[in-house]
Amino acid sequence: MNLRELSDLLGLSPTTVSRALNGYPEVRAETRARVAEAAAKHGYAPNFQAKKLATGRSMSIGHVVPTSRHEMINPIFGDFIAGAGETYSKRGYDMVITVVEDDGEEAAYRSIHSQHKVDGIIVHGPRQDDPRVPLLNALGVPYLVHGRVAEGETGYSWLDINNKRAFERATNLLLDLGHRRIAFLNGLENMHFAQRRRVGHEIALTERGVPVDPEILFAEEMTEPFGYETTRRLLAAPNPPTAILTSSLITAMGVSRALSEMGLQLGRDISVITHDDELSFLPNAGDVPLFTCTRSSVRAAGSRVAELLIDLIDSEEKAHVSELWECQLTLGRSTGPAPT
Amino acid sequence: MNLRELSDLLGLSPTTVSRALNGYPEVRAETRARVAEAAAKHGYAPNFQAKKLATGRSMSIGHVVPTSRHEMINPIFGDFIAGAGETYSKRGYDMVITVVEDDGEEAAYRSIHSQHKVDGIIVHGPRQDDPRVPLLNALGVPYLVHGRVAEGETGYSWLDINNKRAFERATNLLLDLGHRRIAFLNGLENMHFAQRRRVGHEIALTERGVPVDPEILFAEEMTEPFGYETTRRLLAAPNPPTAILTSSLITAMGVSRALSEMGLQLGRDISVITHDDELSFLPNAGDVPLFTCTRSSVRAAGSRVAELLIDLIDSEEKAHVSELWECQLTLGRSTGPAPT
DNA sequence: CCTGTTCCTCAAAGCGCTTTGAAAAGCTGC
DNA sequence: GCAGCTTTTCAAAGCGCTTTGAGGAACAGG
């Protein structure tokens, strides 16, 4: 069933039917009702491709996901997508995901744009000096970065959490509890968020006059074994830390596994603070959660990022927007005073 | 830059340019080369919407993801999508994801179809007697189910792992090791895969004359706390199990956490076998992995599912296809003889 | 030099919708 | 009853591509 058939059926012109369905004012209420009813009855829905072509809007948002980078699919991806997807369905947009090999990333952005596949793009996992920002600026597509790129850069829109502040606070908490030797299991530091977390951590240490020991700073893919193995190694070596900071709950679970295998108690023998993205399958919940954490929902971020981007697309003036979210610092059972 | 502009530039007709670009034989090799070069030089790419409209093919595959069901975004989603996405980019398809509230699921499938948004659909997380199978059959869209629905049903295409066999083998291994009291922490049993796993488990028990005790069979969302809390409860109760079977590595990690907290050693005091989807962020790897597991890559499944569906779309005769993958049973350090 | 082939190129008609500009219909008031 | 409005409806022109059916060019054979 297409527009023409429906309009023939009703004895109206396609124009009138189209207008009735799209809420234009030039249609009598009664006619509109008749059209709506007939459309529902015959299961008519406009052909999306045709609509897109006619309006010039694709009503789709693109997400480009590089895949082979370390073969690690970010576990937060699912929750982020769920959040974004909610917004999309509310606002009538589709989500188009392009999975691409690392080296095809730029080409993917270019082709997605030149083919008019999307009205806007969301940039995932920004690195320091991410080349995608100048690229997308050059292409002139509306886009929004989940996270940020290098400090100086201002010519783009973003939503980020205050990674620096969160890890500064977390480190301060550990210092307040008397810890002086704090290991940090960070994500890969070419990622902007990891960079900022490290900066926050070091600022806190430096302000208290605690030396930064690069020997106990690690930056890797945030897997469970990373937490496990690093912890085992750290605690077997001389001068082990009394506290561990991790960038991911998954890594923290690895830390926890190592500790209990070694007969050490979380929060008594070793304190741990982790960042918690509030992933649906890894709740760190309860009145007193297991892990003390810096916390921010990545699902909520996904939802908001999508909203901001759509607003950006709809709005005429193309000013840049940005939002910086503070994390909660939530006390759990994994922190306690440094053992003496 | 559009077709007309490019053809004017070249002094050719749009037809010739289109044919040259799409590999039709009616174009001289030299002309074709000239066109290709000009297209590359001016960054011309056909407008996707127009192409879709003209060809009647959307070159997109739809994924409908229900979101609010228990607020749990399946952690395997990311890896599955990564696998599927690889196939799509190889074969020139786009992936369109629609996130939808539980009760809007049927409407989502209908609208996606009537709007001609996709050429095919992948069905995630099939339940027993899933209503989507008859719905999609009625709509007449090509689709493929990742998993299966009720036993009798044959009128659909699917790719699944042999859940029953895998859990039968896992249970048999535990029985061989002398375990007689085996707890099973399964996924929600309205899901087909969970159903089959339970059947496999019970068959193994029954064949050996070991009674099935419903008191130690659990079926919940496969989170980490589910594993943790259930294990604590089980081991505190009288007549605790000597082995635990779980449907997810995430749950198994909860089990492991509970065990070590209680001073019990995995593989010595309590044996654990889990299913392992080979998620990128939760590797259970190494020569001797931590967990003994039934194993099958969900990423590979995603890739293959996409392939099968595209073949289905391309092929003329609409016969049903299906693939049943056997899981590997990999020995790790989490299993050992039952304590006497 | 003309006709018959083969090879290449083209004009034009769609695909199904939106939207512009115009016409028809329905009112009002003189 | 008609000019002047407003309200409702319509025909037709795109949107940018593919594809059909036909024409032109080049070439060989008679």
Side-chain angles (χ1 to χ4, degrees), chain A residues 285-315:
Chain A
D287 299 336
V288 184
L290 176 58
F291 288 103
T292 297
C293 61
T294 59
R295 179 180 273 175
S296 181
S297 162
V298 75
R299 180 168 176 163
S303 168
R304 183 65 183 146
V305 160
E307 228 159 46
L308 287 173
L309 178 56
I310 295 176
D311 288 346
L312 209 60
I313 293 169
D314 288 347
S315 82

Side-chain angles (χ1 to χ4, degrees), chain B residues 144-299:
Chain B
L144 208 130
V145 178
H146 178 215
R148 272 176 292 175
V149 299
E151 288 317 285
E153 184 65 83
T154 56
Y156 67 107
S157 296
W158 51 268
L159 181 149
D160 198 5
I161 55 174
N162 196 339
N163 284 299
K164 179 178 136 216
R165 181 106 194 285
F167 276 69
E168 196 178 329
R169 288 183 68 200
T171 304
N172 269 322
L173 172 60
L174 291 172
L175 291 168
D176 289 344
L177 289 167
H179 297 276
R180 285 298 172 273
R181 195 156 168 77
I182 304 171
F184 185 12
L185 277 56
N186 202 2
L188 290 168
E189 290 184 355
N190 61 337
M191 303 298 280
H192 181 268
F193 77 88
Q195 188 62 233
R196 300 309 292 162
R197 289 179 184 179
R198 171 145 180 189
V199 168
H201 175 60
E202 294 190 354
I203 284 178
L205 291 178
T206 308
E207 272 185 357
R208 302 276 195 111
V210 176
V212 174
D213 180 358
E215 293 286 302
I216 54 174
L217 299 181
F218 306 86
E220 287 187 27
E221 209 72 86
M222 301 179 288
T223 62
E224 199 269 356
F226 169 41
Y228 175 79
E229 279 152 25
T230 311
T231 303
R232 291 219 61 135
R233 219 168 337 111
L234 275 171
L235 297 186
N239 196 14
T242 63
I244 300 178
L245 206 52
T246 79
S247 262
S248 153
L249 193 47
I250 293 172
T251 309
M253 299 197 51
V255 172
S256 153
R257 176 159 66 93
L259 293 181
S260 48
E261 241 183 60
M262 302 175 87
L264 296 171
Q265 194 186 317
L266 200 60
R268 189 193 61 192
D269 304 315
I270 298 275
S271 287
V272 171
I273 303 184
T274 182
H275 182 71
D276 177 3
D277 294 294
E278 301 194 44
L279 302 183
S280 55
F281 56 93
L282 266 189
N284 176 38
D287 298 336
V288 185
L290 176 57
F291 289 104
T292 298
C293 61
T294 59
R295 178 179 275 174
S296 181
S297 163
V298 75
R299 179 167 178 163

Side-chain angles (χ1 to χ4, degrees), chain A residues 40-255:
Chain A
K41 182 174 154 204
H42 297 90
Y44 167 78
N47 181 313
F48 220 64
Q49 323 304 345
K51 190 164 182 165
K52 286 171 172 177
L53 180 57
T55 57
R57 305 263 274 101
S58 75
M59 295 304 284
S60 306
I61 304 291
H63 295 240
V64 177
V65 185
T67 167
S68 69
R69 198 182 312 278
H70 323 287
E71 288 302 328
M72 158 97 163
I73 308 305
N74 205 317
I76 72 170
F77 183 67
D79 274 72
F80 183 89
I81 284 299
E86 266 171 22
T87 299
Y88 294 149
S89 54
K90 258 187 224 124
R91 315 257 318 233
Y93 276 76
D94 283 330
M95 168 163 45
V96 175
I97 296 188
T98 306
V99 175
V100 71
E101 306 267 316
D102 281 3
D103 52 4
E105 223 185 355
E106 178 174 337
Y109 281 100
R110 283 189 185 282
S111 98
I112 249 181
H113 172 248
S114 64
Q115 292 177 120
H116 301 263
K117 276 188 184 172
V118 300
D119 293 334
I121 291 181
I122 286 177
V123 173
H124 292 274
R127 278 95 70 191
Q128 284 288 114
D129 293 309
D130 200 298
R132 290 173 292 179
V133 164
L135 172 63
L136 293 171
N137 281 339
L139 293 178
V141 212
Y143 69 98
L144 208 132
V145 178
H146 178 215
R148 271 177 290 175
V149 298
E151 287 319 283
E153 184 64 83
T154 56
Y156 68 107
S157 296
W158 51 269
L159 181 149
D160 198 6
I161 55 175
N162 196 339
N163 284 300
K164 179 177 137 218
R165 181 107 194 284
F167 276 68
E168 196 178 332
R169 289 183 67 200
T171 303
N172 268 323
L173 172 59
L174 291 172
L175 291 168
D176 289 345
L177 289 168
H179 297 275
R180 286 297 172 271
R181 194 154 170 77
I182 304 169
F184 185 12
L185 277 56
N186 201 2
L188 290 169
E189 291 183 354
N190 61 337
M191 303 298 280
H192 180 268
F193 78 88
Q195 188 59 234
R196 300 308 292 164
R197 289 180 184 178
R198 169 143 183 192
V199 167
H201 175 61
E202 294 190 355
I203 284 178
L205 291 178
T206 308
E207 273 185 356
R208 301 279 195 112
V210 177
V212 174
D213 180 358
E215 293 285 304
I216 54 175
L217 298 182
F218 306 85
E220 288 187 27
E221 208 72 85
M222 301 180 287
T223 62
E224 200 267 356
F226 169 43
Y228 175 78
E229 279 152 26
T230 311
T231 303
R232 290 218 64 134
R233 219 167 337 112
L234 275 171
L235 297 186
N239 195 15
T242 62
I244 300 177
L245 205 53
T246 77
S247 262
S248 154
L249 194 46
I250 293 172
T251 308
M253 299 197 50
V255 172

